Amino acid sequence: MTSPDTGGDREKVVTKLTSTLRQDLKVRAALHGLDMQNAVEAGITAWRGLGSNPAPVDTAGAETYATFLPAELWDGFRDDCKDRGVSLTQGIAQAVTLWLDSNPVPEVKRPATVRRIVVCNQKGGVGKTAITAGLGEALAENPAALVPVRVSKHFAALLDDHNRPEDPLALEDLPGLGQRVLLVDFDPQSHLTKQLGHEPLPMNGDSLTNHMAGEAKGELADLIVAVDEDRFGNRLHLLPACTDAFLLDVRLASVRAREAALERALRAVEADYDVILIDCPPSLGLSMDAASYYGRRRDNEETGNSGVLIVVQAEDSSADAYGLLTSQIEDMRADLALDIDYLGLVVNHYDARRGYIATSSLQSWMDIKDPRVVGVIGDLKEQKEAVRAKRPLLAYAPRCEQSVALRALAREISK
């Protein structure tokens, strides 16, 4: 069955396809940057060029499927199916399978230098931990599956809650980024560790603090645990915190080249990851110096590959804390002649219903062009529920507004 396609020289074709083949076709076409109809066209063209029929495909449960194809291609395909003694349903299944076999999942692009993202703000309560976890989750999602993403052009609509883009048509289904990610809980309060369902490291054992202080009791890799959720595969790992980090600044005071202590500790595991995210404590002490130094641009590293990501809120006290933090970073840049890139500002816990203070503060953050706002994350219930459940947000509620926004953030800072 066909009907004209008013948008071009194609006609609407109605056939049947199994749900599995349809989903695989949708995902694979997106991975290769193609429309599904173009993938089907390529598959049919390849099938017609075969010298003999390929192996039969199980079409049990095939359901109605519509696409747009050039009329002459579809007419020729139907004739070929008749000549080869196969049904249209079997023929289209073979053609789609042939295209899938010829177009495997592309390899994930790996950074030349491990990305080091320092998530920070010396003000507590702004949600650094939630942003660190959510960003890491978004970076690690399955590259062979599609996930809903809302791109940054929608940020402006958040200034007016009535204009918030709730229309699902505003979302775009994109493949997961498939990065190998290490989340480092650098805060002695251990919020990141506990939120992801793990226990802090014991005080009498080994820890990141010990490695930074030059008193390691074993290999750092032995302290790392996996975040066990199917959608992340084995790509998302956590270095848990230990409450001995409360003493980190004191212990670093006597360490040689203390600003490089975090880098010396993490160098041992960098080769295993594409991205390392540091969840910093609300502090402007030596630990923050070490984190900033770790995020500096290394020799031959591209600008914006690594750096600091500052989490703020749409209220006045965040602006004061932001000023103190950037002053410390600027002092390090000047004193040690470092290139420390600002990856951007994330406005967290945003809710326009809080009125003029929230909306005007958001506008003020957006007016800062360097660093620019790279994400606006709403203050919604799903994040709190995920924390209570001790599960990653993107596994607990993968389609919620916050998950969608975190995926946009991951892509925005990966450009």
Side-chain angles (χ1 to χ4, degrees), residues 184-205:
V184 177
D185 193 345
F186 199 41
D187 187 342
Q189 298 175 92
S190 308
H191 292 318
L192 178 62
T193 300
K194 295 172 184 175
Q195 285 185 19
L196 294 176
H198 291 274
E199 292 297 321
L201 297 170
M203 280 285 288
N204 58 351

Side-chain angles (χ1 to χ4, degrees), residues 220-390:
L220 188 71
D222 294 338
L223 304 178
I224 294 173
V225 295
V227 178
D228 190 17
E229 292 281 355
D230 289 343
R231 72 184 305 108
F232 310 124
N234 191 34
R235 293 177 297 274
L236 184 61
H237 294 171
L238 168 70
L239 177 54
C242 179
T243 52
D244 67 356
F246 279 116
L247 302 174
L248 179 59
D249 281 8
V250 174
R251 296 177 70 179
L252 284 181
S254 60
V255 171
R256 178 186 57 82
R258 56 180 177 263
E259 67 278 355
L262 181 59
E263 180 162 312
R264 287 195 296 267
L266 292 177
R267 279 277 196 183
V269 298
E270 284 184 355
D272 297 329
Y273 300 99
D274 302 310
V275 185
I276 297 178
L277 289 109
I278 312 297
D279 182 26
C280 291
S283 167
L284 292 179
L286 297 179
S287 57
M288 186 61 220
D289 283 345
S292 299
Y293 184 89
Y294 186 59
R296 81 194 186 286
R297 194 189 319 153
R298 293 176 178 172
D299 293 342
N300 301 318
E301 184 174 10
E302 292 184 5
T303 301
N305 186 67
S306 300
V308 295
L309 184 68
I310 303 175
V311 182
V312 298
Q313 288 181 301
E315 41 80 26
D316 295 339
S317 63
S318 267
D320 297 333
Y322 168 77
L324 293 171
L325 174 63
T326 53
S327 292
Q328 180 176 0
I329 293 172
E330 291 305 314
D331 287 344
M332 279 206 69
R333 293 172 83 172
D335 294 345
L336 300 178
L338 304 178
D339 291 317
I340 301 176
D341 295 329
Y342 290 103
L343 301 181
L345 301 172
V346 179
V347 183
N348 196 27
H349 296 162
Y350 180 71
D351 188 346
R353 293 172 300 179
R354 291 177 181 144
Y356 174 74
I357 290 179
T359 57
S360 61
S361 294
L362 176 58
Q363 185 62 63
S364 296
W365 290 120
M366 288 186 166
D367 289 341
I368 300 175
K369 302 304 180 185
D370 185 18
R372 64 190 178 91
V373 172
V374 291
V376 179
I377 313 298
D379 187 12
L380 302 172
K381 64 181 178 65
E382 286 84 1
Q383 175 61 49
K384 299 178 181 66
E385 292 173 350
V387 170
R388 173 69 65 85
K390 295 186 176 181

Side-chain angles (χ1 to χ4, degrees), residues 152-174:
S152 60
K153 65 184 178 181
H154 299 282
F155 288 171
L158 291 170
L159 286 170
D160 181 352
D161 195 55
H162 299 294
N163 291 332
R164 181 177 290 185
E166 299 291 357
D167 184 352
L169 295 178
L171 299 180
E172 185 175 2
D173 283 336
L174 297 173

Side-chain angles (χ1 to χ4, degrees), residues 20-43:
T20 299
L21 278 178
R22 183 184 310 193
Q23 182 63 21
D24 289 347
L25 175 65
K26 178 181 179 181
V27 172
R28 197 73 56 83
L31 289 172
H32 287 276
L34 295 174
D35 289 332
M36 290 175 67
Q37 63 184 14
N38 293 330
V40 174
E41 179 181 350

